[in-house]
Amino acid sequence: MQPTRFLTGITTSGTPHLGNYVGSIRPAVRASQTPGVESYYFLADYHALIKIEDPERIQRSTLEIAASWLAAGLDPARVVFYRQSDVPEIPELSWLLTCVTGKGILNRAHAYKAAVDKNTEAGLDPDSDVTAGLYMYPVLMGADILLFNAHKVPVGRDQVQHIEMARDMANSFNHRYGEHFVPPQAVIEEAVATLPGLDGRKMSKSYDNTIPLFASRAQLQKLIASLKTDSRLPHEPKETEGSALFQIFQAFASAEETQSLRQRYAQGIAWSEAKQLLLERIDQEIAPMRARYQHLIDHPQEVEALLLEGAQKARASATPFMHQLRHAVGLRPLPTGAGPAQAKASKTALASFKQYREADGKFYFKLVHASGAVLLQSLAFDAPKLAGQTIANLVQDPAALDDSLPLLEALSAQQRATAEEALHALRQANAAAA
């Protein structure tokens, strides 16, 4: 049974805040621990270039966001955790999607329309200061999602349109070139998809109303004390509807705790007491993560190593899939048979098996794509003859992959599909040579 793939990312444009945590990081980490789920999480640093021109800020944000996810419980051994700019197949796919995406669809993107409306109201040219990056943002986001054929994408409600646009891109490409992409679906946690900020509006860096995720307890207390509330006195009943304090509490509390605070509101709880309850409830969840976060901030080399390892895992499937897509649209080697140079070029483009011995004295093999991506990795063999026989079976028999699965490291459905394609190409080349 094919596992469900989840994919999500955060733009590296600032310090992670509670809204990022409850709307994206926490549900993503929980999803990664679900059996039968493949999880892809990335730092969207290409997206950050659309609105941030400070290189130091982007670099610092990359570290802070990566450390936040890791401190929140993301296990790099169980998921694919990578930096967007470390996977060159993403911008390449973005161009392929650009060529099948109608301009009319992009004209309706919320961010672009908001910029145009703002300029129009100011009496300016509608596209004044609107970059092509802002306009093409939905296509790059579509490439983020479709390169890994994600089934589910956890997003805030304001991002649902982008997932629908990614679906349109997938369907448009599939209609022209055959079935390659899985149309993704948005996943929203209704209660916490959008968290209010200090002023009651959506918590957002652009509004400067955020509560940093890993603020110290003293900072957290000060920020919560500044939460906007109404002027009702202690003992006066208070409304939960529209209360930023209540909504933030609800995002962290159990159903029983939420109901208890609802009753306290009706009974006229003092705002100072309600804010203290909120402080304790948030700190109860966040405090255990702070030490891990601070360690990673102090040791960025550990984060860098994990991101590079994650990019290697991401490219193990992205590189051969991109090869498949290039072939689908006609970006292919010229026909073979016209001369030795063409035959040699075709041969070098094939995947190949590498057999080797490790320090443990055991023998291993791997199937390596022409780009260097590992398509299959064997487990240990006691003798080289056994490894060689397994390789021979994989090359000669289309059904051998099924029989060899117990001898290989686990494969996702997409990894298996690309491995099968590479083996098929090898068999064809061997048959032609014979």
Side-chain angles (χ1 to χ4, degrees):
M1 186 174 180
Q2 186 179 26
T4 301
R5 282 185 294 279
F6 275 73
L7 179 143
T8 194
I10 296 181
T11 305
T12 57
S13 57
T15 300
H17 54 71
L18 293 185
N20 299 139
Y21 175 70
V22 303
S24 178
I25 297 175
R26 186 174 64 184
V29 170
R30 288 175 177 172
S32 74
Q33 298 165 351
T34 304
V37 166
E38 287 181 3
S39 299
Y40 292 76
Y41 304 124
F42 67 97
L43 307 177
D45 51 350
Y46 277 142
H47 288 294
L49 298 178
I50 295 171
K51 51 186 176 181
I52 303 298
E53 297 181 359
D54 181 354
E56 297 300 325
R57 181 179 172 185
I58 290 178
Q59 184 183 43
R60 177 68 183 181
S61 179
T62 299
L63 173 60
E64 291 177 341
I65 291 174
S68 296
W69 262 349
L70 294 167
L74 192 69
D75 182 359
R78 296 187 57 172
V79 305
V80 184
F81 181 49
Y82 57 98
R83 181 170 37 205
Q84 186 185 32
S85 60
D86 288 333
V87 184
E89 289 81 8
I90 294 173
E92 182 176 3
L93 176 55
S94 182
W95 178 249
L96 297 190
L97 297 178
T98 296
C99 295
V100 300
T101 302
K103 181 174 180 290
I105 292 177
L106 299 178
N107 288 342
R108 296 192 290 273
H110 295 325
Y112 173 67
K113 286 181 63 179
V116 169
D117 290 345
K118 182 179 179 181
N119 286 333
T120 302
E121 290 174 6
L124 302 172
D125 181 283
D127 286 326
S128 178
D129 292 328
V130 175
T131 66
L134 173 65
Y135 187 71
M136 298 300 296
Y137 176 98
V139 183
L140 180 56
M141 186 168 177
D144 291 327
I145 297 165
L146 298 178
L147 182 62
F148 301 104
N149 271 327
H151 301 99
K152 307 287 186 180
V153 185
V155 291
R157 186 165 296 283
D158 59 337
Q159 292 285 322
V160 170
Q161 184 195 45
H162 288 134
I163 309 307
E164 293 302 319
M165 295 170 84
R167 290 178 62 86
D168 289 340
M169 295 172 203
N171 291 328
S172 180
F173 191 97
N174 290 346
H175 176 73
R176 288 171 170 81
Y177 302 111
E179 295 295 320
H180 296 279
F181 295 122
V182 174
Q185 295 181 342
V187 178
I188 304 172
E189 288 194 4
E190 293 293 343
V192 298
T194 302
L195 203 64
L198 297 173
D199 57 2
R201 295 182 294 174
K202 173 190 172 183
M203 189 176 291
S204 171
K205 292 181 282 286
S206 60
Y207 293 147
D208 194 26
N209 66 351
T210 64
I211 301 176
L213 175 55
F214 288 109
S216 67
R217 180 181 170 89
Q219 292 172 316
L220 185 60
Q221 184 173 26
K222 183 177 179 180
L223 290 169
I224 289 175
S226 69
L227 266 172
K228 184 179 180 180
T229 55
D230 61 34
S231 58
R232 300 186 196 191
L233 299 174
H235 307 302
E236 287 186 307
K238 298 170 176 62
E239 298 291 336
T240 58
E241 186 69 28
S243 170
L245 191 157
F246 185 84
Q247 291 178 54
I248 297 174
F249 183 90
Q250 186 177 33
F252 285 86
S254 65
E256 293 76 13
E257 290 169 328
T258 301
Q259 182 58 29
S260 175
L261 183 59
R262 189 186 303 276
Q263 292 173 352
R264 298 288 300 278
Y265 262 58
Q267 294 165 359
I269 187 174
W271 286 125
S272 59
E273 186 178 355
K275 289 179 178 180
Q276 185 64 31
L277 288 174
L278 177 60
L279 169 66
E280 299 299 337
R281 190 61 191 82
I282 294 177
D283 203 48
Q284 177 183 335
E285 183 165 336
I286 301 302
M289 309 176 192
R290 285 199 188 103
R292 171 66 171 158
Y293 174 79
Q294 193 57 51
H295 172 83
L296 293 170
I297 292 296
D298 294 339
H299 299 83
Q301 68 277 10
E302 295 182 18
V303 178
E304 179 70 13
L306 290 173
L307 291 176
L308 293 178
E309 183 180 342
Q312 186 176 10
K313 290 168 66 176
R315 297 196 69 198
S317 61
T319 301
F321 186 45
M322 198 65 226
H323 176 76
Q324 173 186 328
L325 297 176
R326 287 171 61 88
H327 187 274
V329 301
L331 305 180
R332 312 167 183 171
L334 297 177
T336 60
Q342 286 181 321
K344 182 179 180 181
S346 176
K347 182 177 180 180
T348 57
L350 293 172
S352 60
F353 280 98
K354 310 292 184 184
Q355 191 171 348
Y356 56 97
R357 187 177 188 178
E358 286 285 17
D360 60 4
K362 303 288 186 179
F363 297 87
Y364 300 79
F365 69 79
K366 56 187 174 182
L367 176 62
V368 183
H369 189 267
S371 66
V374 177
L375 305 182
L376 294 176
Q377 173 63 59
S378 79
L379 301 178
F381 290 86
D382 291 329
K385 183 177 180 180
L386 296 175
Q389 185 59 53
T390 304
I391 292 173
N393 292 339
L394 288 168
V395 173
Q396 296 169 9
D397 183 3
L401 184 57
D402 289 332
D403 297 334
S404 301
L405 289 177
L407 306 175
L408 304 171
E409 289 189 357
L411 296 171
S412 69
Q414 184 170 318
Q415 289 170 328
R416 176 169 175 165
T418 54
E420 287 177 339
E421 180 185 8
L423 289 171
H424 178 68
L426 277 175
R427 293 184 194 110
Q428 286 186 318
N430 289 342

